[in-house]
Amino acid sequence: MRKNIVAGNWKMNTTVPEGVELAKAVNDAVAQAQDLKCDVVIGVPFTHLTAVKQVIDINKVGLAAENCADHNSGAYTGEVSAPMVASTGANYVILGHSERRGYYNESYEMLKTKVDLALEAGLKVIFCCGESLEEREAGKVEDVIKAEISESLFHLTPEQWTNIVIAYEPIWAIGTGKTATNDQAEEVHAFIRGLVAEKFGKQIADDTTILYGGSCKPSNAPELFAKPDIDGGLIGGASLKAADFMGIVTAF
């Protein structure tokens, strides 16, 4: 059975003290919540990982880095490797976010390498994909999604795939206040599950967690999460306030 997951992506927000307080608030809220129907993960800046790990129960709140390098070590000033991330106690890493692809020119091949190094380091990968508004209007949604997933992930073995979570984030809905309609999101999620089924078989596809991201908030999360192929969310802005984030967590 696949897991429902709600993951926060703080992006480049909060100082370390602010992040620690936010993590404490989320951890306390999860601890007090009754009968949660999903796993909870928070994705935090590299600078926060060690401090946040100390104030959460990692068995109840997963901890993600927002990126990792495409090398394990060496003369790469300013980079942070997957083994470094794992050494903080984090158990997830977010890879392939459209902001990384767009602002930092991360290619399919680079992301393929990052995925491999993250899995080797024992991390689970939340792998992002999604189309721009221009690509959607040009009818290229399926082509874009297929390329992003297949070029960077379909070299994996079925065993490795068990540590992959897919996050569909239409670029035009990230931080814009626009959200894909429930049916638009479900259509792409079902397409992604079909791609996985073609590659790995129906059972593995049925067990794959696929999250929706893009202006997901407490008010629209219940309807999104009610769709059969939407297994949770990767949450940006709404993850920066514990009450808003927990409003999404409890949408299940």
Side-chain angles (χ1 to χ4, degrees), residues 107-153:
S107 65
Y108 300 150
E109 194 63 30
M110 178 186 286
L111 289 169
K112 180 179 179 181
T113 300
K114 288 188 177 192
V115 167
D116 288 344
L117 295 177
L119 294 176
E120 287 173 11
L123 297 167
K124 297 180 187 298
V125 173
I126 299 174
F127 188 86
C128 304
C129 60
E131 81 285 355
S132 67
L133 183 58
E134 292 76 15
E135 288 165 340
R136 172 167 281 274
E137 290 177 342
K140 296 180 179 179
V141 176
E142 292 187 356
D143 291 341
V144 170
I145 299 299
K146 182 175 182 178
E148 289 182 339
I149 292 175
S150 62
E151 294 291 337
S152 298
L153 294 180

Side-chain angles (χ1 to χ4, degrees), residues 168 170 178-187 189 210-235 248 251-252:
Y168 168 59
K178 297 180 180 179
T179 309
T181 67
N182 305 333
D183 289 339
Q184 284 176 323
E186 168 62 18
E187 182 180 5
H189 280 238
I210 308 175
L211 310 180
Y212 173 76
S215 299
C216 183
K217 44 193 177 287
S219 60
N220 60 22
E223 292 182 355
L224 284 164
F225 295 172
K227 291 295 186 179
D229 288 295
I230 301 178
D231 306 314
L234 180 59
I235 314 302
I248 297 171
F252 279 107

Side-chain angles (χ1 to χ4, degrees), residues 1-2 5 29 33 45 72 83 86 88 93 96 128 131 133 137 145-146 149 168 172 188 191 202 204 218 224 238 241:
M1 291 291 292
R2 62 182 180 260
I5 298 174
N72 269 343
T88 69
V93 62
C128 304
E131 81 285 355
L133 183 58
E137 290 177 342
I145 299 299
K146 182 175 182 178
I149 292 175
Y168 168 59
W172 48 272
V188 179
F191 173 72
K202 185 177 184 302
I204 289 176
L224 284 164
K241 293 183 179 180

Side-chain angles (χ1 to χ4, degrees), residues 10 16 18 24 30 46-47 55 63 68 83 87 99 102 107 109 118 133 140 144-145 161 177 195-196 201 213 223 235:
W10 294 2
V16 173
E18 290 167 346
K24 283 181 180 177
V30 169
F46 290 133
T47 50
V55 299
L63 181 60
C68 72
S87 73
E99 291 159 3
S107 65
E109 194 63 30
L133 183 58
K140 296 180 179 179
V144 170
I145 299 299
W161 188 264
L195 288 177
V196 178
E223 292 182 355
I235 314 302

Side-chain angles (χ1 to χ4, degrees), residues 10-39:
W10 294 2
K11 307 190 179 184
M12 196 175 70
N13 292 295
T14 75
T15 62
V16 173
E18 290 167 346
V20 166
E21 288 306 306
L22 177 54
K24 283 181 180 177
V26 171
N27 186 75
D28 291 347
V30 169
Q32 295 168 14
Q34 300 294 317
D35 194 29
L36 282 184
K37 297 292 196 301
C38 67
D39 288 357

